[in-house]
Amino acid sequence: MNPTRLFVKAVTPIASILLILAGIIQLRAHFWATGAVCTILAMAGFILSMRLLEKAPFTPEELEALRPFIVPGLAWTIIIGLSTLSVFYVADNFKSTETDRIAGVAWTSSLVLGLLVTWLLRPQPNNSGTLIDKIKAYRKEILVLFIILVVALALRTIDISVHPYPWSGDEASIGSEAIRILNGEVTNFFETGWSSQPNWSFVPTAFTEMIFGHNILAVRATSVLAGTLAVLFTYLAARELFNLTIALMAGAFLASLPYNVHFSRMGVHNIVDSLMSALVFWLLAMAIKKDDPRYYYTAGVAAGLCIYSYAGTRLALILGVVTLLFLVIRQRSYLHSHWKHLASFFAAAIISAAPQAAFFARHPDIFIGRMGQEGILFNGWLTQQATQTGKSVWEILFGQFTRTTLVFIASPAPGNTFNSPNPYLTVFGSILFLLGMGYALAYLFEPRYFMVLIWFWAVILFGGILTLNPPANTRLLMTSPAVAVLMALGAYKILEYLQKFRIVPERAVVLVLFGIVGIITYQNVRFYMYEYRVNAYFQDANGEYAMEVGLIANNMGKDFQIFLLGAPRVFSGFPTFSFIAPNNPRADLSAENILTLALPTDQKAGFFAIPENRSLLAEISQKYPGGESGVVYRRVRPDEILFEYYIIQP
């Protein structure tokens, strides 16, 4: 039996089928030369393989040798075919609702089938003991983890409808995108919606709105889940990279970390950065530790999925690739001994990301849109700033560096949907973080420390130093799991040092660790759930105006028309109106168009003026007497007028 001949007879027909699919895709995309070459090669390969099989059919010995590979081979042929089909329809110039549906079903089927084949058809390790036995063996650890997750969930759900207040326009935009999905207006989920985010990113919100209704609770519920899962996966990643103690502390620190908690309570997609980065690093840590190709494949799937969410989440895919490249460079034999594992990771990432990558390949302007707007290397800001200030490029970059890094330990976190007067970390937390950072830097070239450091510093570079207006809280959110791990590492090493001098008895270690976690948790909770809320650090008069007017209109019914006297601050196009009161007609009013306004006698209408435009309400009341007037004060500042209104009812 000739192994080479057997391989050619078995693989060439399948390869020809896949190659001809690729050729058709290229031809349909008008890449004539590439498509023609692929098609000709596929047909030639198929003809030759059929002739070879006719002259030399499979022998019984060959069939027996192929038997173990038949089911996996067919499965992977189907998986690659489904993935190719999804790319085909995403890249197709002639699109329809049916092709959109086929692309989505083909892609999700390829992902599910790939994971099933990877985990079910490979030999399973002989793990002794039942699940119940394992739960009993780890019951204390499971109990502590459960408590941490309950605390994390509670901090992300208590009073979620009113804190943070007000609802932001970004949240309303995402809620409106989910409504479009539920209404059947979105058929191609690989296209992009609000803020150039793929439509797949709005699907979880569509599910929560289907359960809870079209309200802010539904929009914020997805972030609550993502933030809580980020705590779980941070614990799991630290568990594999270090040990149980560091893992539990890291999970506990992240559970109450204010800037992570804040974005876990907002219905925006930034918190997905924390979730996906923790998931990818956990799976990679498992893959490296267990030397198991199943985890490499699953890590590749997770990394590929990062392309379907918020633009910053894509960095998690890059971090996964950089980690593997580090292993290849650091360990000379790694590439030779693990090339199949690496191929598994990259194949999974390609299958996972392929259709969305095909869309971005056709629309590169959408893919690089945010980077072009915010990246100082792309928009000319760096050279312009150097010219205006007379500073060198390095001086400007150093200023960017200090503004980005000091927000963790010394500087406030202004604006950018957080607006905290305090740094991300308390003084105690800053000490632990810096000690953990120092220790990790001392062991930079060990894979586990490298992973945590690149997790933090890559975000600092690409989400802070090289972007406009640092520190941008939304772009730094991916650092939060790494920060929690470094804090836990610092605390662990301090105790380890004190134990050597018997300052802390071994029996008191657990109490000390509990005390450290308790102090930092108390400080974080007191700040975010009390001080931050009472002092209304998140306050935004424009957002409050849109939210409160929208709620009034919603209560008045669909036939209630909204007239906004909000210029120059708030206009009728503000997304909060579309989300809260989507069926109410609305228009902007100014001094120029009040005179020409003509309302039907049976029209219910409300006029809402910011304090700067209150004089215009007098003109409206004179034109339409008999209405109801009133004043609404700001919830966060009861002595300050939010707007005045004049409501007309037939």
Side-chain angles (χ1 to χ4, degrees), residues 496-561:
E496 198 176 60
Y497 174 80
L498 294 177
Q499 276 189 285
K500 291 180 180 179
F501 294 93
R502 297 183 179 178
I503 296 175
V504 177
E506 186 173 348
R507 63 180 179 274
V509 169
V510 174
L511 291 176
V512 174
L513 291 176
F514 180 80
I516 292 173
V517 171
I519 291 171
I520 291 180
T521 300
Y522 170 77
Q523 291 176 327
N524 287 337
V525 172
R526 189 181 186 283
F527 167 70
Y528 185 74
M529 300 302 288
Y530 177 72
E531 180 185 338
Y532 186 94
R533 180 175 181 174
V534 169
N535 291 292
Y537 294 142
F538 190 67
Q539 62 88 21
D540 171 29
N542 296 339
E544 293 172 42
Y545 173 89
M547 174 182 168
E548 298 298 343
V549 170
L551 290 173
I552 291 174
N554 187 277
N555 291 330
M556 294 293 292
K558 298 179 181 179
D559 58 342
F560 180 78
Q561 184 166 0

Side-chain angles (χ1 to χ4, degrees), residues 241-447:
L241 291 173
F242 300 102
N243 57 45
L244 171 61
T245 303
I246 291 177
L248 290 173
M249 281 196 295
F253 289 147
L254 186 62
S256 67
L257 196 58
Y259 74 113
N260 187 279
V261 171
H262 177 74
F263 286 101
S264 297
R265 296 174 64 92
M266 288 193 67
V268 291
H269 291 157
N270 310 89
I271 191 61
V272 177
D273 292 0
S274 300
L275 167 60
M276 294 306 297
S277 60
L279 175 61
V280 170
F281 274 113
W282 169 56
L283 290 171
L284 281 177
M286 290 286 286
I288 296 166
K289 185 175 181 178
K290 294 182 178 295
D291 199 21
D292 191 334
R294 295 175 301 174
Y295 285 102
Y296 279 92
Y297 184 87
T298 309
V301 170
L305 288 176
C306 294
I307 199 174
Y308 293 88
S309 187
Y310 173 68
T313 310
R314 298 166 198 164
L315 183 58
L317 167 60
I318 299 173
L319 294 180
V321 174
V322 169
T323 298
L324 294 176
L325 290 177
F326 172 80
L327 292 174
V328 170
I329 296 171
R330 179 66 175 163
Q331 302 176 12
R332 294 184 178 180
S333 62
Y334 187 83
L335 180 60
H336 180 265
S337 60
H338 290 78
W339 68 269
K340 293 182 180 178
H341 300 67
L342 295 174
S344 178
F345 173 88
F346 286 106
I350 291 171
I351 291 172
S352 179
Q356 192 63 57
F359 173 83
F360 283 134
R362 291 174 64 89
H363 305 278
D365 55 318
I366 296 177
F367 182 74
I368 64 173
R370 295 293 293 175
M371 291 185 286
Q373 294 170 6
E374 302 295 333
I376 62 175
L377 298 181
F378 302 100
N379 59 13
W381 178 88
L382 188 59
T383 54
Q384 182 182 11
Q385 195 73 4
T387 302
Q388 291 178 352
T389 62
K391 296 180 180 179
S392 68
V393 169
W394 290 111
E395 285 180 296
I396 295 171
L397 288 176
F398 181 74
Q400 295 277 102
F401 170 80
T402 55
R403 286 193 294 275
T404 303
T405 53
L406 290 180
V407 71
F408 290 88
I409 58 174
S411 300
N416 206 242
T417 63
F418 186 38
N419 200 34
S420 169
N422 294 349
Y424 292 158
L425 303 174
T426 64
V427 173
F428 191 15
S430 299
I431 293 171
L432 299 180
F433 166 68
L434 291 176
L435 292 176
M437 175 68 72
Y439 189 86
L441 287 170
Y443 295 91
L444 169 63
F445 295 107
E446 283 191 26

Side-chain angles (χ1 to χ4, degrees), residues 25-272:
I25 289 174
Q26 296 298 314
L27 290 172
R28 291 289 293 269
H30 297 168
F31 295 120
W32 306 115
T34 307
V37 170
C38 288
T39 304
I40 292 170
L41 289 176
M43 294 179 68
F46 189 74
I47 292 170
L48 291 175
S49 63
M50 290 299 102
R51 292 293 299 272
L52 179 61
L53 284 171
E54 290 170 358
K55 291 182 178 180
F58 288 116
T59 65
E61 292 80 9
E62 290 175 334
L63 290 173
E64 188 63 29
L66 288 173
R67 193 178 304 279
F69 303 100
I70 291 175
V71 174
L74 288 174
W76 285 111
T77 302
I78 294 171
I79 291 166
I80 295 172
L82 288 170
S83 180
T84 304
L85 188 65
S86 67
V87 172
F88 174 82
Y89 280 117
V90 169
D92 193 3
N93 289 324
F94 307 99
K95 303 182 68 59
S96 67
T97 301
E98 184 179 357
T99 60
D100 292 341
R101 187 181 298 112
I102 292 173
V105 171
W107 175 68
T108 52
S109 299
S110 69
L111 290 185
V112 173
L113 186 57
L115 290 171
L116 288 175
V117 170
T118 299
W119 285 92
L120 297 181
L121 294 185
R122 289 183 179 275
Q124 302 293 318
N126 185 21
N127 293 327
S128 59
T130 64
L131 177 61
I132 295 177
D133 292 334
K134 292 178 180 178
I135 291 175
K136 289 180 179 179
Y138 295 98
R139 60 184 180 276
K140 292 182 179 178
E141 177 182 349
I142 294 172
L143 176 61
V144 175
L145 176 61
F146 177 76
I147 294 171
I148 291 171
L149 293 176
V150 168
V151 171
L153 182 62
L155 291 177
R156 286 157 176 77
T157 53
I158 295 174
D159 287 341
I160 190 172
S161 296
V162 294
H163 178 49
Y165 173 85
W167 308 342
S168 74
D170 289 354
E171 292 177 291
S173 296
I174 290 175
S176 297
E177 291 290 342
I179 292 173
R180 291 180 61 237
I181 292 174
L182 294 175
N183 290 342
E185 299 173 41
V186 176
T187 58
N188 186 350
F189 289 91
F190 299 100
E191 288 185 345
T192 54
W194 174 78
S195 192
S196 299
Q197 291 183 198
N199 286 328
W200 280 110
S201 67
F202 307 113
V203 170
T205 307
F207 275 115
T208 54
E209 286 195 13
M210 190 164 55
I211 296 171
F212 299 110
H214 303 327
N215 53 55
I216 195 63
L217 173 62
V219 176
R220 290 180 171 179
T222 53
S223 294
V224 169
L225 180 60
T228 305
L229 287 176
V231 174
L232 173 62
F233 289 124
T234 298
Y235 154 81
L236 291 172
R239 183 80 162 84
E240 296 304 321
L241 291 173
F242 300 102
N243 57 45
L244 171 61
T245 303
I246 291 177
L248 290 173
M249 281 196 295
F253 289 147
L254 186 62
S256 67
L257 196 58
Y259 74 113
N260 187 279
V261 171
H262 177 74
F263 286 101
S264 297
R265 296 174 64 92
M266 288 193 67
V268 291
H269 291 157
N270 310 89
I271 191 61
V272 177

Side-chain angles (χ1 to χ4, degrees), residues 165 167 544-564 576-577 580-581 584 604-609 628-633 635 642-649:
Y165 173 85
W167 308 342
E544 293 172 42
Y545 173 89
M547 174 182 168
E548 298 298 343
V549 170
L551 290 173
I552 291 174
N554 187 277
N555 291 330
M556 294 293 292
K558 298 179 181 179
D559 58 342
F560 180 78
Q561 184 166 0
I562 308 170
F563 290 98
L564 303 170
T576 302
F577 296 121
I580 300 178
N584 294 89
K604 284 199 304 183
F607 301 84
F608 303 90
E628 175 190 352
S629 60
V631 178
V632 173
Y633 292 88
R635 291 192 197 179
L642 180 61
F643 61 81
E644 296 184 24
Y645 63 84
Y646 185 75
I647 294 176
I648 300 172
Q649 299 197 55

